[in-house]
Structure formats: structure tokens, C-alpha cells
Amino acid sequence: MEGEVVAMNSLTVNLHLMMVSFFQPDATRNTVLIESSAFPSDRYAVVSQLEFHGLSAAQNLIEVQPRQGERTLRTEDMIERIEREGSRLALVLLPGVQYLTGQLLNMPALIAAARRVGANVGVDLAHAIGNTVMQLHDWNPDFAVWCSYKYLNAGPGAVGGCFVHERHARNFRLPRFAGWWGHNKAQRFLYDPKFDPIAGAQGWQISNPPILSTAPLLASLQIFQRAGMRALRDKSIALTGFMQKLIEQHLPNLVEIITPGEREQRGCQLSLRIARPATEARRCQEALTAAGVIGDWREPDVLRLAPIPLYNSFADVLAAVDTLARALRGSGL
Ligand SMILES: *Cc1c(COP(=O)(O)O)cnc(C)c1O
């Protein structure tokens, strides 16, 4: 819903602002649950919020991990943990798409589990926004945050975004860090000393937005609107599925796909573990870059490739896997 979304700040700043409102620890509920390989910035933000409340990561942070020998998280394990820790959870912070493995979590099931035990729920959509189709209002988290320079293509430093569920739109008793840009628009220039927040997500704005890093977001969103998120997702499923098939057929012993095989459990990205010594694997990524295939290398052995439905073709995917094959074994597909 329109009033639930606002473009402002950057992801980590929005995460802090949301935790000011939705992480309110008390004597019994004072713990945050995240996943163990959360993007470092999210962990820094959570731990600093804990410490701000006089709590600690050692006592008040639960980090869920994949099972021994597995790379991705299981929904049933996460739900079981949420239920087991339920009475002490103040906040559950979930990734939409896990940045390292490309795993798309079952957001509706996990959000529902967290809400059943009485915890607040936030979702970090850094790698999900512009990548998968979401129904945040229906899924019912308290908040979500994202940046717009990944799948939304708004460029480095572009303004990020925030979702606050409608059920909090008029909850003016929630603690929040206020600023003039969140004040009732009609009264903004009357300089009333008493803060009168705009109902909905816009009421969390603090400052006037940086226009130069908002303009490219507007241009990008117009393109997304024209293409349609559903159509983009359909093409994305086909593109990534094509890349998966090529890799499985042609590079079975050289590359292990860490990302789940099912379309419901991933977005565009495939995370590939290169079964080669580190220096060789790195050379392979350099060969891709030299050929114009821009992937991302994560130490010690993960190559992330994400065919993008807006501007990548099936021929691009074929060329990328062919380049990977040449780099790994000196011959093409
Ligand atoms: C990219 C990313 C960020 C980046 O944070 P900024 O505040 O925009 O610099 C944070 N969290 C996750 C999970 C990310 O993938």
C-alpha cells in the first residue's frame, strides 16, 4: 500500500531508524534473532542497538545457521528456533534473499512464525527488491528496509527505502527519531514546536531527500513499472534456470551451485563454488571480468553471477557460462 513505503536515507540508516521504533527490549523480551552469515553491516547495526540498550551480543543475539555440512537455511529449522526462543525474542530480522548464497527465504512463513511468538519482525530486502515479487502488506512484517543500487539499478549511493506496515501508520506512541521532513506536510513550514508525524512510513523521514541520488531511482522505477515486476520475474526464472542447466550439463565436476535449485527459493543470482585452488578460481573470475561478464567474488571460493532480466539475454548467459568453461578447463562448451 502506498502509505507503507518511503524512499529515504540508505539501508543501514533505515535499519537503525526502524530498530529505534521496533526493537524495544524489556526484562523478558530482549533478544534479536538474525542469521549467522548476515551481511556484516546488519550485524553491526543490531549489535550496536543491543549495546545502546545495555545488552550484549553474547547474551542477546541469536544467529541461526545452516545445518552442519549444508550451505543454506531450512525454513523448518528457522521456525523451530523461533518457536523455541519465542518468549525472549524482541525482534526477528530476516534477509529476503541471502546475499552470499542467493537463497530466497520463505518470508511469509518466517514472518508468520515470528509474529505468532509475539516478536516484532523486520526484513532486509537488499537483494530481494527489484529481484523477486513480494507482498509485504499481506506478509505482515513490522518493517522492511532496502537499498536501491543493487537490483533497482539506481546507482551507487542512491537513496534507499523503507516499509512500515499500515497497522503502525497511526501509532504515534512508538518511539522514533524525528525530523522536520516527517512532520505533517501541510504544517511543515509553520514551524510548530510540537512534532506532528505524517501517518505511515513517511512519518519516519528526518531530512529533506538528496535530489541528485533520488532522481536515478525515479528513472529506474519508471522502467520497472513499464516492464512489470511479474514479467521481469518470469524472465528471470527462465534466465537463471537456463544458466543452472548449462552449468550442470557442462561443468558438473568443476562448479557446485550453492543456491537452491527450486525457483521459489532463489532470485536472479546463482552462487557458484569453484572446485579449484583459490588462485585458479580467482583467475577464473578475472577472465570473466576481462570478457565483460561482471560477477562478484567472495572469499574463499564463491563466485556470484546474476543474470538480470531487464538487460541480459539468453545469449548473454550462454556466453558467460562458455567463458567460465574456457577459464576453468581451457575449452568452451
Ligand atoms: C548491500 C547491503 C547493505 C548495504 O548497506 P548500505 O547502508 O546501503 O550501505 C546492507 N545490508 C545488506 C544485507 C546488503 O546486502
Side-chain angles (χ1 to χ4, degrees):
M1 292 174 69
E2 198 177 312
E4 293 178 309
V5 174
V6 62
M8 62 181 193
N9 310 315
S10 50
L11 188 156
T12 313
V13 172
N14 289 337
L15 180 55
H16 274 295
L17 294 178
M18 289 295 103
M19 285 195 284
V20 165
S21 297
F22 298 106
F23 176 53
Q24 286 295 308
D26 60 26
T28 50
R29 278 192 192 274
N30 47 29
T31 300
V32 182
L33 183 140
I34 60 174
E35 44 107 14
S36 65
S37 46
F39 188 79
S41 189
D42 298 42
R43 193 178 190 281
Y44 303 152
V46 168
V47 172
S48 66
Q49 287 278 337
L50 286 170
E51 290 171 352
F52 181 72
H53 287 283
L55 304 166
S56 71
Q59 302 287 329
N60 307 96
L61 183 66
I62 296 170
E63 296 173 272
V64 291
Q65 293 180 359
R67 288 186 189 181
Q68 191 84 33
E70 297 187 3
R71 309 279 296 222
T72 51
L73 294 156
R74 294 196 192 205
T75 308
E76 67 269 27
D77 290 1
M78 292 182 76
I79 290 178
E80 189 271 327
R81 192 71 190 271
I82 289 169
E83 287 173 350
R84 181 147 47 91
E85 310 282 1
S87 59
R88 67 181 182 119
L89 294 181
L91 176 68
V92 172
L93 181 64
L94 301 165
V97 173
Q98 213 285 339
Y99 82 102
L100 186 60
T101 63
Q103 179 182 18
L104 168 59
L105 273 90
N106 186 338
M107 284 183 265
L110 294 168
I111 292 166
R115 286 185 48 75
R116 272 200 308 276
V117 301
N120 283 341
V121 200
V123 196
D124 181 332
L125 300 175
H127 288 264
I129 193 115
N131 182 8
T132 71
V133 178
M134 290 175 287
Q135 264 107 35
L136 288 179
H137 176 81
D138 296 338
W139 294 352
N140 215 5
D142 293 281
F143 71 86
V145 292
W146 57 88
C147 48
S148 57
Y149 51 80
K150 289 170 181 158
Y151 291 93
L152 284 185
N153 300 313
V159 68
C162 195
F163 165 95
V164 180
H165 198 277
E166 192 199 16
R167 67 194 138 83
H168 299 299
R170 297 189 166 275
N171 187 354
F172 301 128
R173 282 164 308 154
L174 279 172
R176 70 174 93 190
F177 285 171
W180 79 303
W181 214 253
H183 188 89
N184 176 354
K185 273 183 213 169
Q187 313 281 322
R188 196 181 263 160
F189 288 93
L190 298 181
Y191 305 123
D192 184 345
K194 188 173 173 336
F195 180 58
D196 172 19
I198 304 170
Q202 289 188 37
W204 270 265
Q205 297 173 104
I206 294 179
S207 299
N208 75 94
I211 291 304
L212 294 183
S213 55
T214 307
L217 174 62
L218 180 61
S220 170
L221 291 178
Q222 285 165 343
I223 294 168
F224 270 86
Q225 192 152 31
R226 261 172 49 210
M229 197 59 227
R230 190 70 258 174
L232 288 170
R233 174 66 175 155
D234 287 346
K235 182 180 168 195
S236 164
I237 287 168
L239 269 181
T240 298
F242 181 51
M243 188 160 82
Q244 175 189 12
K245 276 219 178 65
L246 288 176
I247 291 170
E248 285 171 353
Q249 272 171 19
H250 298 283
L251 302 168
N253 302 315
L254 294 166
V255 172
E256 177 204 348
I257 301 177
I258 299 169
T259 310
E262 303 75 26
R263 62 173 70 173
E264 300 77 22
Q265 290 189 54
R266 67 181 184 208
C268 299
Q269 172 187 336
L270 289 185
S271 297
L272 312 177
R273 205 178 73 77
I274 308 294
R276 276 284 184 272
T279 46
E280 226 178 292
R282 252 183 176 292
R283 256 206 309 281
C284 154
Q285 198 240 332
E286 284 157 15
L288 285 173
T289 307
V293 180
I294 310 300
D296 173 84
W297 180 255
R298 291 286 134 160
E299 297 295 348
D301 57 1
V302 175
L303 173 65
R304 302 188 298 171
L305 292 178
I308 303 299
L310 261 182
Y311 51 80
N312 281 136
S313 64
F314 290 85
D316 289 337
V317 170
L318 187 63
V321 180
D322 189 54
T323 306
L324 184 61
R326 281 173 207 285
L328 281 169
R329 52 156 203 238
S331 68
L333 293 183

